[in-house]
Amino acid sequence: LIGKLFFGTFLAGGLCIVFFPFLWKKKKKQLLEKRKKKLVKEFKDLILSFGASLKAGYSIENAFLEACRDLTYLYDASADILQECKSMKRQMENHISLEALLNDLGERSRMTDIMDFAKVFATAKKSGDLNAMIANTADVIGQKIELLAEIDVMLTGKKMEQRIMLLIPLFIMGYISLTSPGYFMPLYQNPMGILIMSACLLLYATAYLLSEKIMEIHI
């Protein structure tokens, strides 16, 4: 479509393959961010159940395993947090400490919330103030999740406007091409026209990237 609208032939769209690695990387990043948001919500439920099990009188390791069992009633077996729980249970049976496993999970997921929890957990385990630490951590993560949800709601309309604004130029060019055949031909058949259309395409791509950057909000 880009090749046809900007250069007059679908074959020119083949040149757009040079953007494929960039688009692939961008899509991969979007899916990763979505997966991280899901994992942090699952992790919050895990530590809430962990705290409840500790209050019920379980030892630290048994409380964690009980919390993992509780999550099986909340999430599908394919959920990332349940896969992590299975792996951590096996390693705990091999006498690897829970704080080391939590720290490993934080490093692999590259999630600040989990890494911070692992550090505070190791300190609180020594001081014996685990219940208060877990309750506070769950509250902080919960507030962050709620804030992100509010931001997503506020941005939903803006994201729709962004998509419409990005489609309007293509719609106008397509409409003119269909209703006035040959209108763009002078731009397709000479080097200067191709250069102008290439510059327009570059501006269009820049506008797309800028709009995506504006919509990114990190907490």
Side-chain angles (χ1 to χ4, degrees):
L1 180 61
I2 292 293
K4 180 65 175 177
L5 292 178
F6 282 85
F7 302 105
T9 172
F10 288 111
L11 294 177
L15 298 175
C16 294
I17 199 170
V18 298
F19 297 107
F20 182 76
F22 165 76
L23 295 173
W24 176 265
K25 183 178 180 181
K26 182 174 178 57
K27 186 63 178 178
K28 187 177 179 181
K29 181 180 177 182
Q30 290 175 340
L31 292 174
L32 181 61
E33 288 299 319
K34 184 178 180 181
R35 193 173 180 182
K36 281 186 175 183
K37 287 181 180 180
K38 185 171 180 288
L39 180 60
V40 76
K41 181 179 181 300
E42 295 169 349
F43 184 73
K44 177 204 168 188
D45 291 333
L46 174 65
I47 60 177
L48 279 174
S49 182
F50 183 32
S53 296
L54 283 173
K55 289 180 181 179
Y58 288 90
S59 66
I60 293 174
E61 285 73 17
N62 286 335
F64 185 80
L65 294 176
E66 185 65 24
C68 288
R69 279 191 288 271
D70 289 342
L71 290 189
T72 60
Y73 300 106
L74 296 176
Y75 297 106
D76 187 79
S78 61
D80 288 337
I81 195 66
L82 290 180
Q83 297 303 316
E84 290 295 336
C85 281
K86 288 180 183 178
S87 175
M88 293 168 80
K89 180 182 178 181
R90 288 194 297 268
Q91 294 180 74
M92 288 170 68
E93 291 172 350
N94 293 324
H95 307 292
I96 298 176
S97 67
L98 180 56
E99 49 265 45
L101 294 174
L102 288 171
N103 187 62
D104 177 63
L105 175 59
E107 290 180 352
R108 285 187 293 106
S109 64
R110 298 180 182 179
M111 295 180 63
T112 306
D113 294 316
I114 299 179
M115 288 189 284
D116 289 345
F117 177 80
K119 292 175 183 177
V120 177
F121 174 80
T123 303
K125 187 178 180 182
K126 295 176 183 177
S127 66
D129 195 20
L130 272 175
N131 288 334
M133 180 276 296
I134 288 174
N136 181 64
T137 303
D139 184 55
V140 170
I141 294 177
Q143 290 178 12
K144 180 177 179 179
I145 292 172
E146 289 176 4
L147 183 57
L148 285 171
E150 290 177 7
I151 291 173
D152 284 340
V153 170
M154 289 188 292
L155 286 180
T156 299
K158 298 299 180 183
K159 288 180 179 178
M160 181 60 67
E161 292 175 12
Q162 175 213 17
R163 295 189 184 100
I164 293 172
M165 292 292 288
L166 288 170
L167 288 173
I168 283 176
L170 300 181
F171 175 78
I172 292 174
M173 292 179 68
Y175 178 78
I176 293 174
S177 297
L178 289 173
T179 56
S180 302
Y183 184 85
F184 290 114
M185 290 308 293
L187 294 171
Y188 297 152
Q189 298 177 344
N190 62 85
M192 181 57 68
I194 293 173
L195 185 62
I196 291 172
M197 295 304 286
S198 298
C200 290
L201 180 57
L202 180 61
L203 285 173
Y204 181 77
T206 302
Y208 166 73
L209 294 175
L210 186 59
S211 65
E212 288 288 308
K213 191 70 176 177
I214 291 172
M215 291 294 175
E216 287 183 9
I217 298 178
H218 299 285
I219 299 178

